[in-house]
Amino acid sequence: MVKNSFTLLETLISITLLIIVISGFSYSSYYDEKNNKNFMILNDLENKFSTQNYNNLTKISTQIQLVKNTETSEYISVSKYTFENDDIKIFKYEK
């Protein structure tokens, strides 16, 4: 006699696998709101750096010493613009 119906064990295993696959898609980074928010922040920072609009960025002015050929040294004033939150830390030096 050939049995063609699923047993209870086969049904539970298939439901478990289906739940794992569905939860994997729901928690993937494609739907992650945090990654989407970070992408928007990075895009906004890229636009600010491109237009040299440094509002909402921390500015620190420092002097950097450049040594050329172990005998010639030169001091350059640079500005360091930084942005930092929980996930992102970006800085840019500008002469």
Side-chain angles (χ1 to χ4, degrees):
M1 182 179 229
V2 177
K3 185 176 179 184
N4 290 331
S5 63
F6 281 112
T7 63
L8 179 61
L9 180 63
E10 291 170 332
T11 304
L12 291 175
I13 290 173
S14 63
I15 289 174
T16 304
L17 289 175
L18 186 62
I19 288 172
I20 290 171
V21 169
I22 290 173
S23 65
F25 279 117
S26 66
Y27 289 115
S28 68
S29 64
Y30 182 78
Y31 296 105
D32 191 7
E33 185 176 330
K34 189 174 185 179
N35 283 346
N36 192 19
K37 181 181 174 186
N38 286 341
F39 175 76
M40 296 300 288
I41 291 172
L42 288 172
N43 191 24
D44 183 49
L45 288 172
E46 181 183 12
N47 290 338
K48 285 182 180 183
F49 285 146
S50 296
T51 61
Q52 295 182 346
N53 179 11
Y54 301 123
N55 296 337
N56 302 327
L57 298 174
T58 307
K59 179 182 178 182
I60 301 171
S61 297
T62 59
Q63 291 262 339
I64 296 178
Q65 179 183 8
L66 296 176
V67 178
K68 302 175 186 177
N69 300 331
T70 66
E71 39 192 61
T72 308
S73 64
E74 178 182 348
Y75 288 94
I76 298 176
S77 297
V78 294
S79 299
K80 179 182 179 182
Y81 297 97
T82 60
F83 174 84
E84 185 173 354
N85 69 5
D86 295 337
D87 300 320
I88 301 171
K89 183 175 182 180
I90 293 180
F91 59 91
K92 177 185 180 180
Y93 288 99
E94 191 171 87
K95 186 176 175 183

